[in-house]
């Protein structure tokens, strides 16, 4: 049996392979059409001097990439995105996890709490921006009025202008519902009997958590960390909708936000659409892609050590 | 590149053909905001369906326009924010020369076109007001005209402004300072003055004309004029930020100038004729708001105002339905919709024949109309550079003004950054065209 | 202290903590509703007022009529379904393939899936738009179906996790009985990952409901979605943002999501429990 498997010609192996491709086919099709093709094209563009209005297109090699690494504003965007990502990931995962722990066991009004805590996540970001712009306003915003009436503040604070990053991170906190849902799902996979047995054996809450719950849900925590990292690095619309600068109606996307919240994607969008530097913007996005890819691979490799099922599967 | 593209098309096309719909032959795509192309008018047009043309509105999105232009498939008609940006787009081959259409048109007669207001839609590759036509403004305004809150003036014991004799910019500054109010904690609650974001550049251009200066150093308009006299003009506006006379990063206003003014949070704005139509939604607007012509630099000195390039409509160079698109263009400028805009007083119409439609039923409408038509005599296209677009100027200003207000840079550094930032933009624009 | 008493104490504690969070989470929503009932000139007026002088219910009428809400609602729904169905199925298939048919190249493919997650949307969407508009395939809803096929990487990941928790013996016995792969999948495996399908469904719905770049690039106003309207259109003639009416619009905009969540919540919980019982 072992010998046949090594040759890779067993009918079982062939069946497996055929099945694999059959089930992967729809995704592969979509992947090729909507990702490989445009991405390859985008990469080719990043090697040219292409602007939005192609007057004289030339192949310029890695010139865009070299310029990029000398452009302090662009480099600062990578840093800002990274800082945001770390903060956002921590806030989202920790808040979500705490909510899930609080909601995991029987509780009066559990459904209600779950719904309300998840609710903000369901509000699309484009709408959240409007809600918070008015909520955080200095003189007429609900938050400031409330804090002043309660005597916690003597006068309204221009939150978005004073701490633009903080305002954006407030959204991460407010929208932690999705983490919560994932963790609730994770916790429900932990068999109750294990807890009961452990409790009877005299294990306290802390020990039950450390020895039973955490190992069992570690794949989910890992999953959440990776996802959150990847998504936050690609955050795009937040700086525009939470732009502390004056905006008008339709022009939300035309006003670049200040440097301290100008994320990579947001800046790339601005470079492409506002400054018309198509190739340069593409190069910027490609660097982001490479950065996230490398970090994630490291993360996945490293994560394998402490993720319970992952390690189990490899056997 | 070419091979790759062909390969793509051969792979993608057969896959997509079965799902592809067939567009009606006379669909005209019109890129514009809802506000500038209201659905009700589009529906009416499509119902009557003259010449079997259907208008489809597309959202005004720059990314989209660029992607579309790059693939040769942009909307047939395009609403561009500032007509002056033609200087940027035309050399890039984006818009169609519609002179021959205009010459033949029965709706839009050449002799009827208001040349002053449409000056930015005629461009010979170097100067405005000469050469081929690329479009027309939907309407235009004297954006330097002053609108002020009479109640605030009364409360501060300031006499109302003259409707015929312009005040000076220095006088306006003093008024703005006087009208700025702070609360106990030192927080500004009412600002003396405010204008649209980035409109400093338009007013600075007026002021440059008035003192015989050029915003640019070279004939090519690719280097900012760093003459101390010119710098003084820019500093005039920057100082307003430092003094907190206009909303700044330390004392942010809830919204943009117009909305702040409508909420009694700003005393004086320079927005222009159209703002009078906007103010109608405020109760008691006839009594509450006053009008004054665009300020001057020196009492009794030369007057200059501009239209910020005027929002208007142009035709995409590679449109597949130029004839139909022009029909829509005619309807938009000179038809029902153009007429409607004129009668509500949202701007001075592009056609002289529509001008009598401007409202003047009450003293309020009369005075703003009188001021607008008077200001219009002194129109000069703002001094723009074709190496970039008008909106691209603003982030440089905003970013440095924030640093200035926070005390991170000095006023001289501010002006230096302003010049060097713009010079870099212009250089990029030149490189784009391989010059 | 006996276990019962301790449980009650813990429940009380948790209840209080959650209640505090819920109140905090409610504040922006209260602000939203209050704003939606204000007059435009009340918004920034000083002295600031928490509540409107007189609630302006008309805002809710205007929120509907000002942008032809009904039409865009239908548009959004069509696109959402067109996207969500293939997205769920394709992701579920892929997740199944990765969890059950591990061949030598599986891991490479899985990394490929993961890597698609790291591709900034814009890297694909701008060139995609150029390719598509060259072949004339813009302003077509069919695109949403193809987009759905390319799946949602994180849901593929999720499904793989879900399938991994199902013991192999389930299919083995079915295979012994001579069931084909699709039979096994649809009869045995698919019902077992209902939790996943519901979670995926909620997310897929939510994603396409709030997707901004795709519709803005590919669709004209006729086929445009609510997300676009909400982001851009509650403004007056001169682009003043009409926050009051806009907030009313946002209330409408979020309602379908709330309904879906409420409707699926029971099955959602049931699914979770089923997953839990299996151990």
């Amino acid at each position: 049996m072992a010998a046949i498997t090594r040759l890779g010609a067993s009918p079982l192996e062939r069946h497996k392979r055929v099945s694999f491709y059959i089930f992967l086919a729809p995704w592969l099709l979509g992947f090729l059409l909507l990702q490989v093709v445009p991405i390859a094209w985008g990469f080719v563009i990043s090697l040219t001097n292409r602007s939005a209005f192609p007057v004289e297109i030339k192949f310029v090699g890695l010139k865009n990439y070299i310029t990029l690494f000398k452009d302090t504003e662009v480099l600062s965007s990578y840093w800002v995105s990274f800082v945001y990502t770390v903060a956002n990931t921590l806030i989202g995962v920790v808040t979500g996890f705490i909510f899930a722990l609080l909601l995991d066991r029987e509780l009066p009004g559990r459904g209600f709490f779950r719904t309300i805590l998840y609710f903000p996540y369901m509000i699309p970001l484009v709408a959240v921006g409007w809600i918070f712009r008015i909520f955080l306003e200095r003189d007429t915003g609900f938050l400031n009025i409330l804090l002043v009436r309660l005597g916690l503040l003597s006068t309204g604070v221009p939150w978005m202008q004073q701490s633009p990053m903080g305002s954006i991170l407030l959204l991460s906190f407010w929208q932690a519902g999705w983490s919560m849902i994932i963790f609730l799902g994770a916790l429900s996979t932990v068999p109750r009997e294990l807890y009961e047995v452990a409790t009877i054996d005299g294990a306290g809450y802390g020990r039950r958590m450390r020895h039973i719950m955490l190992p069992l849900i570690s794949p989910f925590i890992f999953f959440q960390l990776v996802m959150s990292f990847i998504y936050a690095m690609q955050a795009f619309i937040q700086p525009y909708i939470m732009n502390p600068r004056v905006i008008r109606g339709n022009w939300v996307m035309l006003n670049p936000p200040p440097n301290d919240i100008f994320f990579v994607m947001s800046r790339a969008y601005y470079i492409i659409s506002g400054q018309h530097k198509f190739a340069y913007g593409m190069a910027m996005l490609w660097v982001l892609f490479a950065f996230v890819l490398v970090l994630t691979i490291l993360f996945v490799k490293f994560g394998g050590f402490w993720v319970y099922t992952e390690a189990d599967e490899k056997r | 590149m070419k091979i790759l593209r062909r390969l793509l098309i051969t792979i993608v096309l057969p896959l997509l053909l079965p799902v592809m719909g067939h567009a009606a032959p006379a669909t005209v795509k019109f890129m514009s905001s809802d506000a500038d192309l209201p659905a009700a008018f589009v529906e009416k047009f499509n119902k009557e369906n003259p010449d079997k043309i259907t208008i489809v509105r597309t959202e005004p999105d720059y990314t989209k326009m660029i992607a579309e232009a790059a693939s040769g498939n942009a909307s047939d008609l395009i609403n561009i924010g500032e007509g002056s940006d033609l200087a940027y787009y035309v050399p890039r081959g984006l818009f169609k020369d519609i002179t021959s259409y205009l010459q033949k048109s029965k709706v839009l007669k050449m002799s009827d076109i208001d040349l002053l207001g449409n000056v930015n839609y005629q461009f010979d590759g170097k100067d405005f007001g000469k050469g081929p036509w690329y479009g027309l403004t939907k309407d235009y305004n004297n954006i330097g005209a002053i609108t002020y809150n009479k109640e605030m003036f009364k409360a501060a014991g300031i006499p109302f402004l003259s409707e015929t004799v312009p005040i000076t910019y220095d006088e306006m500054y003093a008024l703005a300072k006087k009208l700025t109010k702070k609360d106990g904690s030192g927080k500004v609650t009412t600002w003396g003055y405010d204008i649209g974001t980035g409109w400093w550049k338009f007013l600075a251009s007026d002021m440059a004309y008035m003192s015989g200066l050029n915003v640019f150093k070279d004939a090519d308009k690719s280097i900012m004029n760093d003459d101390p006299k010119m710098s003084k003009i820019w500093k005039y506006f920057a100082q307003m930020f430092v003094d907190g006379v206009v909303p700044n990063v330390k004392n942010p206003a809830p919204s943009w100038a117009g909305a702040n003014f409508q909420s009694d949070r700003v005393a004086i704005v320079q927005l222009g004729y159209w703002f009078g139509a906007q103010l109608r939604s405020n109760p008691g607007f006839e009594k509450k708001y006053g009008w004054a012509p665009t300020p001057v630099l020196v009492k009794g000195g030369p007057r200059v105002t501009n239209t910020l390039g005027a929002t208007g409509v142009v035709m995409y160079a590679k449109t597949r339905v130029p004839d139909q698109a022009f029909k829509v263009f005619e309807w938009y400028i000179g038809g029902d919709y153009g007429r409607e805009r004129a009668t509500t007083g949202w701007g001075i119409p592009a056609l002289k024949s529509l001008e009598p439609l401007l409202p003047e039923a009450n003293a309020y409408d009369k005075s703003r109309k009188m001021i607008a038509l008077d200001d219009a005599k002194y129109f000069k296209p703002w001094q723009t550079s074709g190496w970039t677009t008008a909106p691209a100027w603003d982030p440089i200003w905003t970013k440095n003004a924030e640093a200035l207000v926070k005390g991170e840079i000095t006023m001289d550094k501010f002006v230096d950054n302003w010049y060097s930032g713009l010079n870099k933009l212009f250089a990029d624009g030149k490189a784009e065209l391989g010059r | 202290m006996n276990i019962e008493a301790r449980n009650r104490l813990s429940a009380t504690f948790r209840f209080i903590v959650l209640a505090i969070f819920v109140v905090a989470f409610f504040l922006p929503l209260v602000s939203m509703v209050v704003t939606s009932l204000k007059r435009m000139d009340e918004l920034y007026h000083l002295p600031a007022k928490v509540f409107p002088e007189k609630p302006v219910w008309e805002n809710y009428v205007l929120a509907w009529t000002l942008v032809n809400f009904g039409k865009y609602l239908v548009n959004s729904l069509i696109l959402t379904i067109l996207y969500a169905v293939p997205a769920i199925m394709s992701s579920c298939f892929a997740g199944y393939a990765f969890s059950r048919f591990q061949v030598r190249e599986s891991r490479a493919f899985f990394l490929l899936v993961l890597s698609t997650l790291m591709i900034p949307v814009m890297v694909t969407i701008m060139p995609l738009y150029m390719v598509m508009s060259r072949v004339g395939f813009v302003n077509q809803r069919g695109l949403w179906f193809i987009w759905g096929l390319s799946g949602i990487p994180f849901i593929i990941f999720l499904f793989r996790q879900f399938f991994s928790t199902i013991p192999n013996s389930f299919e083995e016995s079915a295979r012994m009985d001579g069931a084909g792969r699709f039979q096994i999948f649809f009869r045995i495996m698919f019902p077992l990952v209902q939790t996943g399908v519901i979670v995926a469904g909620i997310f897929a719905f939510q994603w396409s409901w709030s997707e901004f770049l795709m519709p803005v690039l590919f669709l004209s106003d006729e086929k445009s979605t609510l997300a676009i309207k909400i982001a851009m259109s509650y403004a007056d003639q001169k682009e003043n943002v009409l926050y009051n009416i806009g907030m009313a619009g946002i209330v409408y905009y979020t309602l379908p999501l709330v309904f879906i969540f409420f409707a699926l919540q029971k099955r959602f919980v049931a699914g979770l429990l089923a997953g839990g019982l299996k151990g």
Side-chain angles (χ1 to χ4, degrees):
Chain A
M1 182 69 192
I4 302 172
T5 320
R6 216 179 307 127
L7 286 173
S10 82
L12 190 68
E13 184 75 12
R14 205 181 316 127
H15 176 86
K16 248 186 165 179
R17 179 156 287 132
V18 171
S19 303
F20 178 75
Y21 284 109
I22 285 179
F23 282 106
L24 205 62
W27 175 79
L28 258 174
L29 182 73
F31 172 66
L32 282 175
L33 275 183
L34 290 201
Q35 306 204 276
V36 175
V37 167
I39 285 172
W41 207 24
F43 182 67
V44 173
I45 286 172
S46 81
L47 300 176
T48 68
N49 69 341
R50 180 149 198 167
S51 74
F53 313 108
V55 177
E56 189 191 342
I57 302 170
K58 276 183 300 197
F59 182 79
V60 297
L62 292 176
K63 191 170 154 248
N64 286 322
Y65 291 87
I66 294 164
T67 322
L68 197 147
F69 281 103
K70 288 187 202 143
D71 189 332
T72 48
E73 288 209 320
V74 166
L75 292 181
S76 88
S77 273
Y78 284 98
W79 173 246
V80 166
S81 266
F82 186 72
V83 170
Y84 165 74
T85 298
V86 172
N88 170 71
T89 305
L90 284 178
I91 291 174
V93 169
V94 170
T95 315
F97 189 65
I98 291 174
F99 286 168
L101 279 184
L102 291 170
L103 281 169
D104 183 39
R105 282 165 296 158
E106 264 323 310
L107 190 75
R110 191 160 72 148
F112 170 78
F113 283 131
R114 186 172 49 210
T115 311
I116 297 304
L117 294 176
Y118 183 70
F119 184 83
Y121 180 68
M122 285 197 297
I123 303 179
L125 268 175
V126 289
V128 170
W130 295 129
I131 295 176
F132 271 78
R133 289 191 84 82
I134 201 125
F135 180 63
L136 296 176
E137 210 279 317
R138 186 190 66 169
D139 299 309
T140 53
F142 197 78
L143 184 66
N144 279 322
I145 297 179
L146 197 76
L147 291 177
V148 170
R149 294 244 170 119
L150 290 175
L152 294 170
L153 279 181
S154 60
T155 180
V157 174
W159 298 106
M160 290 210 303
Q161 287 77 13
Q162 208 160 71
S163 174
M165 183 67 100
S167 315
I168 294 182
L169 287 172
L170 196 62
L171 303 188
S172 316
F173 172 65
W174 199 53
Q175 297 204 311
W178 107 296
S179 254
M180 176 189 80
I181 287 288
I182 296 282
F183 287 132
L184 272 178
L187 290 175
S188 78
T189 62
V190 179
R192 303 278 128 164
E193 305 86 57
L194 275 182
Y195 284 140
E196 278 155 31
V197 170
T199 314
I200 290 162
D201 284 351
Y205 186 71
R207 278 186 59 194
R208 287 203 307 264
M209 193 159 138
R210 208 165 56 239
H211 295 294
I212 303 171
M213 185 205 301
L214 279 182
L216 280 176
I217 68 163
S218 61
F220 292 88
I221 297 178
F222 177 68
F223 170 81
Q224 258 317 96
L225 286 175
V226 176
M227 289 301 152
S228 177
F229 170 77
I230 291 170
Y231 281 119
M233 278 309 286
Q234 295 180 35
F236 153 65
I237 206 167
Q238 288 90 333
Y240 286 105
I241 56 171
M242 295 296 283
N243 191 346
R245 293 171 178 167
V246 179
I247 58 166
R248 272 175 82 186
N250 280 349
W251 299 358
V252 181
M253 311 296 282
L254 284 185
N255 303 309
N259 275 344
D260 39 357
I261 52 166
F262 213 169
F263 299 161
V264 184
M265 285 269 281
S266 321
R267 192 187 287 278
Y269 178 87
Y270 179 68
I271 283 177
I272 291 173
S273 74
Q275 303 192 324
H276 308 162
K277 294 189 222 164
F278 210 99
Y280 193 55
M282 281 295 161
M284 207 173 149
L285 292 170
W286 262 89
V287 171
L288 173 68
F289 174 40
F291 179 73
V292 177
L293 188 68
V294 168
L295 270 186
T296 311
I297 287 172
L298 287 177
F299 207 45
V300 170
K301 268 220 149 98
F302 176 74
F305 289 114
W306 57 274
V307 170
Y308 173 73
T309 39
E310 191 84 354
D312 206 39
E313 237 173 41
K314 273 186 204 134
R315 296 289 86 90
Chain B
M1 279 291 275
K2 264 234 168 74
I3 298 168
L4 185 69
R5 205 174 304 150
R6 202 166 301 150
L7 200 70
L8 285 182
I9 294 168
T10 40
I11 297 171
V12 174
L13 201 57
L15 281 163
L16 299 182
L17 273 175
V19 255
M20 261 169 73
H22 294 281
T27 294
V28 172
K29 283 199 291 173
F30 196 149
M31 179 172 130
S32 168
S33 68
D34 244 344
D36 280 346
L37 185 64
F41 281 92
V42 174
E43 262 162 44
K44 189 159 172 267
F45 182 93
N46 288 346
K47 202 176 272 167
E48 289 163 8
N49 204 4
D51 305 304
K52 295 190 176 154
I53 298 168
T54 310
I55 300 175
V56 174
R57 188 178 73 83
T58 55
E59 289 296 343
D61 181 280
Y62 272 61
T63 323
K64 181 173 181 150
M65 187 178 87
I66 285 157
E68 285 173 337
S71 58
N73 212 359
S75 295
D76 305 299
L77 292 174
I78 296 166
N79 174 319
I80 55 170
E82 276 108 9
S84 53
D85 284 345
L86 246 68
Y88 177 82
Y89 290 120
V90 165
R92 285 161 177 76
L94 208 70
F95 302 145
K96 196 177 181 67
D97 173 357
I98 58 165
T99 316
S100 60
Y101 281 100
L102 280 175
Q103 280 161 348
K104 277 180 269 169
S105 172
K106 297 213 169 67
V107 183
L108 311 169
K109 296 195 186 71
M110 277 299 216
S111 58
D112 194 22
I113 294 172
D114 184 335
L115 292 175
L116 263 178
N118 286 295
V119 65
N120 285 115
Y121 288 86
Q122 198 183 5
F123 183 66
D124 67 355
K126 210 171 152 25
D127 293 306
F128 288 108
K130 293 181 213 163
W133 286 88
Y134 290 91
L136 287 176
T137 172
K138 65 179 170 56
D139 51 24
Y140 66 99
N141 286 282
N142 49 335
I143 61 136
I146 288 178
T147 315
Y148 63 98
N149 189 318
K150 284 183 170 174
E151 286 169 5
M152 288 186 190
F153 270 56
K154 221 181 266 169
I158 302 169
F160 296 155
L161 303 178
S162 159
E163 291 182 358
T164 47
V165 185
I167 58 170
T168 68
Y169 272 103
D170 286 336
E171 282 168 348
M172 190 182 74
Y173 200 111
L175 289 180
K177 228 169 175 176
K178 214 167 169 184
L179 288 159
T180 300
K181 272 189 274 179
K182 292 180 182 175
D183 72 357
S185 60
K187 199 173 72 174
V188 180
T189 51
T190 310
W191 292 267
Y193 173 79
D194 201 1
I195 53 173
T197 311
W199 287 23
W200 342 104
K201 58 182 181 284
F202 305 124
L203 297 180
S205 156
D206 289 353
M207 291 159 92
Y209 276 129
M210 286 186 235
S211 42
L213 289 166
N214 201 322
V215 170
F216 305 99
K217 208 176 195 170
D218 56 343
D220 205 21
K221 296 182 175 176
S222 62
I223 297 168
M224 292 296 280
N225 183 4
D226 54 3
D227 186 294
K229 278 192 231 147
M230 196 60 226
S231 299
K232 207 181 132 205
I233 292 177
W234 295 115
K235 283 177 185 172
Y236 172 89
F237 292 104
Q239 191 60 38
M240 286 192 162
F241 281 87
V242 179
D243 292 349
V245 171
V246 294
N248 63 21
V249 65
K250 276 191 189 158
N251 279 295
S255 187
W256 83 286
N260 298 335
F261 185 82
Q262 284 183 280
S263 318
D264 299 339
R265 302 288 295 278
V266 168
I268 301 172
V269 287
Q270 276 183 285
L271 291 172
Y273 177 73
W274 67 270
F275 192 54
Q278 172 83 31
L279 287 173
R280 281 160 184 268
S281 60
N282 283 51
F285 66 94
E286 304 103 318
K287 295 250 158 56
K288 193 168 173 184
Y289 304 117
W291 291 87
T294 307
V296 290
L297 267 189
V298 193
K299 203 88 187 171
R303 291 173 67 175
V304 176
T305 181
N306 73 81
T307 67
L308 65 69
T311 302
V313 178
V314 293
M315 199 185 290
Y316 174 50
K318 293 183 197 153
T319 174
R320 295 186 191 99
V321 286
D323 297 349
Q324 290 90 337
F326 190 75
K327 286 253 159 59
V328 175
F329 182 82
E330 283 178 328
W331 162 82
Y332 186 76
I333 303 289
D336 284 354
Y337 182 55
R339 217 172 300 266
E340 158 82 12
R341 289 189 67 87
T343 44
T344 45
W346 275 104
I348 309 170
L351 303 177
K352 285 184 267 184
S353 59
L354 293 178
E355 207 177 278
L357 295 176
L358 293 176
E360 46 184 351
N362 52 31
Y364 170 87
D365 276 338
K366 258 192 202 123
S367 72
R368 73 183 177 111
K369 180 182 171 183
M370 188 217 28
I371 289 168
L373 296 181
D374 188 36
D375 265 348
K377 291 179 205 150
Y378 307 101
F379 271 139
K380 281 196 177 172
W382 81 281
Q383 301 187 29
T384 181
S385 164
W387 300 117
T388 190
T389 60
W393 290 48
D394 306 340
I396 302 173
W397 178 283
T398 310
K399 187 173 73 184
N400 287 299
E402 279 170 7
L404 178 66
V405 169
K406 286 181 185 160
E408 290 162 9
I409 55 174
T410 63
M411 180 62 88
D412 286 329
K413 181 77 183 143
F414 169 82
V415 177
D416 282 351
N417 287 354
W418 172 237
Y419 291 153
S420 60
L422 285 169
N423 289 344
K424 187 172 177 306
L425 268 190
F426 301 151
D428 286 349
K430 283 188 124 174
E432 209 172 80
L433 291 187
R435 291 195 206 157
Chain C
M1 199 160 36
N2 62 24
I3 290 178
E4 196 135 310
R6 218 164 61 188
N7 278 349
R8 210 174 303 134
L9 195 70
S10 129
T12 318
F13 170 73
R14 284 183 294 134
F15 190 88
I16 291 168
V17 174
L18 282 167
I20 292 169
F21 274 119
V22 162
V23 169
F25 271 44
F26 247 126
L27 290 180
L29 299 175
V30 174
S31 154
M32 169 178 88
V33 174
V34 166
T35 309
S36 77
L37 294 173
K38 280 185 178 169
R39 276 198 327 266
M40 191 60 200
D41 60 307
E42 274 179 316
L43 278 190
Y44 308 130
H45 220 279
L46 290 183
K49 272 176 285 184
V50 178
F51 296 103
E53 240 166 56
K54 205 179 103 207
V56 189
W57 296 105
E58 200 198 342
N59 286 343
Y60 281 84
V61 179
L62 284 174
W64 194 274
T65 54
L66 211 64
V67 299
N68 199 352
F69 206 91
K71 184 173 95 184
Y72 300 111
L73 179 74
V74 172
N75 284 351
S76 277
L77 281 173
I78 293 173
L79 289 179
T80 298
I81 291 164
L82 216 52
Y83 167 74
V85 172
I88 297 170
M89 285 322 291
S90 162
S91 306
C92 191
F93 273 7
Y96 183 57
F98 284 123
S99 127
R100 278 306 190 266
F101 306 110
Q102 295 196 336
V103 286
R104 219 176 317 128
E105 59 271 31
S106 299
R107 205 166 164 78
F109 272 108
F110 191 65
L111 281 179
L112 211 56
V113 171
L114 271 185
S115 70
T116 65
L117 200 69
M118 290 158 241
I119 302 166
V121 216
M122 243 174 303
V123 166
T124 58
I125 216 161
M126 297 291 296
L128 177 70
Y129 182 78
M130 289 161 75
V131 175
M132 287 302 175
S133 69
R134 183 134 308 177
V135 296
F137 195 65
V138 286
N139 206 12
Q140 300 293 334
R141 291 190 172 113
L143 198 63
W144 261 246
F145 186 85
I146 304 176
W147 182 38
L149 281 187
S150 71
I152 307 172
F154 105 80
I155 282 177
I156 297 179
F157 197 108
L158 199 73
F159 272 119
R160 192 188 76 140
Q161 301 280 9
F162 274 113
F163 282 116
S164 301
T165 59
I166 301 170
N168 271 322
S169 53
F170 275 56
E171 313 149 83
E172 303 279 289
S173 57
R175 194 167 297 130
M176 297 296 170
D177 295 345
R181 29 176 102 79
F182 286 105
Q183 262 178 322
I184 294 175
F185 180 80
F186 283 108
R187 289 242 191 92
I188 299 166
M189 302 308 279
F190 193 64
L192 285 176
V193 291
Q194 263 187 17
T195 318
V197 173
I198 288 169
V199 174
I202 288 178
F203 284 130
F205 190 98
Q206 199 182 333
W207 276 28
S208 75
W209 192 253
S210 49
E211 174 59 34
F212 180 79
L213 269 177
M214 282 279 289
V216 109
L217 278 179
F218 287 94
L219 300 178
S220 71
D221 188 51
E222 277 303 294
K223 293 177 184 170
S224 195
T225 65
L226 281 179
I228 311 299
K229 296 291 122 185
I230 293 292
M232 320 227 285
S233 272
Y234 285 105
D236 67 11
Q237 283 259 24
K238 282 292 169 180
E239 311 299 334
N240 289 315
V241 182
L242 303 172
Y243 278 103
N244 50 352
I245 302 172
M247 291 295 147
I250 289 173
V251 170
Y252 287 141
Y253 178 45
T254 40
L255 278 180
L257 292 168
V258 179
F259 278 133
I260 284 178
F261 187 67
F262 268 112
L264 289 177
Q265 212 183 14
K266 270 215 173 93
R267 297 191 57 199
F268 192 81
V269 176
L272 286 176
L273 283 180
L277 281 176
K278 238 175 24 269

